[in-house]
Structure formats: C-alpha cells, structure tokens
Amino acid sequence: MRILLWHVHGSWTDAFVRGRHEYLLPVLPEGGPWGLGRAGRNWPDSVREVDLATLDAGSVDAVVLQRPEEISEVSRVLGRTPGVDLPAVFVEHNTPKGDFPFTRHPLADQNTIPLVHVTHFNRLAWDNGSALSKVIEHGIPDPGQLYTGELPDLGVVVNEPVRRGRVTGTDLLPAFAAVAPLQVFGMKTEGLAAAAGIGTGRLTPRGDLKTQELHRELARCRVYLHPMRWTSLGLSLLEAMHVGMPVVVLAATEAPRAVPPEAGVVSSDIDELLRCARRLVANPDEARRRGMAAREAALARYGLGKFQDSWDGLLADLARSPSARHRPDGKILVTAQERKTA
C-alpha cells in the first residue's frame, strides 16, 4: 500500500516506516511540523518525500493521521475525505490533557476512522466515545546489546524538562542527583541543573543526539532513570531496555505493564526508587543481570516484528473498507498492490 503520513513523532515513525509498504512523507522547503519529510534520517528507500500540493490523490491508498487538523488538510489538498473516500486511521500518541478522566478524544464522535492508541493506559484514559478504538503497542528497531554500564551514573532521556516540569518529573531529579551523577539527554536540556537547583558536577546536559549516538552514550551509564509522571510511554525507556540497561521507573501510566520487576524497580514510592538506584549503581553485576532481563522483556513485548504484523493486519482491514474502493465521483480506486499485479 501507499501510505501518507506526516513525520510527527520521530521514534514512532522510525519503527512504522520499516514495514512492507511505501510511505509518503510531506516535505516543505522550510521543514517544520507540516513538512519535515525524512529529516535526514537513515530510512529505507520505500520512504519517499512528497510535495502534498502536487501529489496524485489517486495514488494514495491510506492516510495515517496523528493530529486532528490533518483531516481537513488532507481533504483540502487531495480532495478526498479521510474515512469517507480515503481509508484512514488516527494514531493517538499522548495521554489526555485537561479534565482527566473526563477528557473526550477529538475523534470520539465519529465511526469512520479507527482510533489506535499506542498503550492500553491511553485507551483507558481517553473517552473514546463511539469511535472504534484499539491498541497497537510500540515497536522498537533493535539497537542490539550495547550496555557497558562503565560509568556510575544515572542516564535520563527527556525533552524540554525545564518547561514541562512536574509532567516529566523534573522536580524529582535533585534527589536522584544525590544518589549518583545524572546524564540528561534530549532537546532543550541546557540550563536544567540551575532550574532544578542541582549543584555543579551532579548533572550533565548531553543535548539531542542522533539515535545511534544516543544509544551508545546512554548504554555507558550504569542505570536508566525514568521519572515521568504523565507520559504515554516514553520510547526512550523501551530503547534503554533494548540496549540492556537496568531501569528505575516511576510507576505511572503504562510503565507497570511495560517493565517487569526483575528489570530493576517500578514503584510510586520515591524512597524505594532511590534505594534501588543506589544499590544498582554500587553493584555492576546486579545491574548487568537486571539489564539482561530488561532486554528480554522488551524484545518479547515491543519487538519490531510484532509491531509491524499488528499494523499490517489493520492496514489490510482498511484496504477492504468501502472507503478504499469508491470516490464521490463514482470512480473505483485501485490499490498499489493491485497496480503491481495488474
């Protein structure tokens, strides 16, 4: 199938576009949220950058939506309405904001576009109304067993920790910095030590590294710390488990389902988390053993093959839907696969 989607969430897209289809990513000269294209990522040749304004509307077999406003944008530019005469699915990456647990999803009042949540917690937390909803859990391209744990540090991956504050558990970092030095990776980590009141030498902002470099540098830290209070399920946590890191995780949202006890510790008791972090930093052998358990669990539940198989099943259902065959002008659409075999 030829699938249209915007490059919105890099890590999720990294897994999605490694499937068996052709992926069309809108690109603009200025880039930005509506035109990132490949953004220099090392993706397969099946990932094509397209100019949405000149794209042949009939060449698109389905659209994967990730923002509500994409529905009107597709209709405006392609002249085809997602869920009506263009097969569509909406991926919800985030936990609800605002009046939780009464937050109603923007697509709750329709039944033509399936709503896919990336975690079971998200599906439970959102009010999905009458929309058809399901869960396709994350898949991670396996970076391999990279863990060395050579540095007695805690590794953290978080974007914009100063702005997001309590959402990302930024207020918890000083207590962990007293246990071991922190290496914090991610966008806009500069100024974090001062903002969190952490002394010199106890926190090193590492910035937004390329994926392979991030995995390599993160794997040098003895333990991965995941202090997020309100996030869907940080892909960085799953990546840390894949590289073989032991994890210390706040028991919030989907984390208790994702992390088995033998991988480290998952708890809402901050004192327990601090004790475990201190023990793992001081005991490299235990840290390595728990890191192996983390990797095994991540490969079993969040392997790329399982993720792709789940999406292939859903995309096949979309291809059989009435919107896959008919346009308002009465013409019959032909899928990319049918074009190949014709």
Side-chain angles (χ1 to χ4, degrees):
M1 296 176 68
R2 288 179 179 162
I3 302 168
L4 174 67
L5 76 155
W6 274 269
H7 181 174
V8 176
H9 293 273
S11 294
W12 182 87
T13 307
D14 189 45
F16 185 75
V17 300
R18 295 178 188 276
R20 304 168 181 88
H21 306 281
E22 186 175 352
Y23 306 91
L24 312 178
L25 271 57
V27 65
L28 295 171
E30 66 275 17
W34 290 94
L36 274 180
R38 294 171 64 105
R41 289 182 177 256
N42 184 25
W43 283 339
D45 293 340
S46 56
V47 183
R48 291 178 43 216
E49 293 185 335
V50 297
D51 179 353
L52 194 61
T54 61
L55 181 64
D56 175 13
S59 70
V60 179
D61 295 322
V63 59
V64 173
L65 306 161
Q66 300 168 79
R67 298 166 293 188
E69 55 268 35
E70 291 176 5
I71 298 174
S72 58
E73 181 66 5
V74 170
S75 299
R76 182 184 70 82
V77 179
L78 295 187
R80 298 174 64 188
T81 302
V84 177
D85 55 358
L86 175 61
V89 60
F90 188 98
V91 180
E92 180 52 69
H93 295 281
N94 301 312
T95 48
K97 306 296 188 291
D99 189 23
F100 175 76
F102 305 104
T103 316
R104 195 163 176 83
H105 196 276
L107 272 70
D109 297 317
Q110 57 79 47
N111 56 14
T112 60
I113 302 175
L115 181 55
V116 174
H117 293 283
V118 296
T119 71
H120 291 275
F121 179 86
N122 280 13
R123 187 188 189 192
L124 177 69
W126 281 100
D127 178 357
N128 299 304
S130 59
L132 174 65
S133 68
K134 66 176 300 179
V135 176
I136 297 182
E137 296 186 289
H138 288 297
I140 304 293
D142 182 16
Q145 171 70 36
L146 302 178
Y147 180 69
T148 68
E150 63 200 77
L151 302 176
D153 296 351
L154 302 176
V156 185
V157 181
V158 57
N159 290 324
E160 300 189 66
V162 176
R163 178 184 68 83
R164 297 167 72 193
R166 284 180 57 84
V167 170
T168 55
T170 304
D171 57 302
L172 304 176
L173 295 182
F176 286 99
V179 170
L182 304 178
Q183 294 198 34
V184 184
F185 303 82
M187 295 185 293
K188 298 185 179 179
T189 55
E190 304 80 4
L192 174 59
I198 297 175
T200 304
R202 304 303 292 181
L203 187 151
T204 302
R206 298 296 306 275
D208 187 23
L209 305 182
K210 295 289 187 181
T211 301
Q212 289 185 333
E213 184 181 5
L214 168 63
H215 291 161
R216 185 174 63 251
E217 290 298 307
L218 185 63
R220 298 178 65 209
C221 297
R222 186 74 44 83
V223 179
Y224 182 78
L225 170 64
H226 191 71
M228 309 338 184
R229 277 192 180 89
W230 192 247
T231 184
S232 176
L233 178 61
L235 285 173
S236 57
L237 168 62
L238 303 182
E239 290 170 349
M241 293 171 67
H242 268 78
V243 303
M245 297 186 74
V247 294
V248 171
V249 183
L250 198 65
T253 63
E254 187 80 355
R257 173 179 168 82
V259 182
E262 58 270 21
V265 63
V266 184
S267 178
S268 56
D269 182 341
I270 301 302
D271 292 333
E272 182 182 6
L273 295 176
L274 292 169
R275 286 194 300 270
C276 184
R278 185 176 291 108
R279 187 179 73 246
L280 290 173
V281 168
N283 293 274
D285 289 342
E286 181 184 355
R288 181 172 294 278
R289 184 174 68 254
R290 290 187 178 273
M292 289 299 296
R295 176 168 166 76
E296 290 175 5
L299 287 171
R301 173 160 286 167
Y302 301 104
L304 188 60
K306 180 179 179 181
F307 172 81
Q308 290 175 346
D309 288 345
S310 297
W311 269 103
D312 279 349
L314 178 56
L315 292 169
D317 290 342
L318 288 180
R320 290 189 290 267
S321 67
S323 59
R325 307 300 299 175
H326 297 280
R327 288 172 53 170
D329 58 11
K331 294 181 179 179
I332 302 294
L333 293 177
V334 181
T335 68
Q337 183 60 38
E338 289 171 331
R339 285 190 289 272
K340 287 182 180 180
T341 58

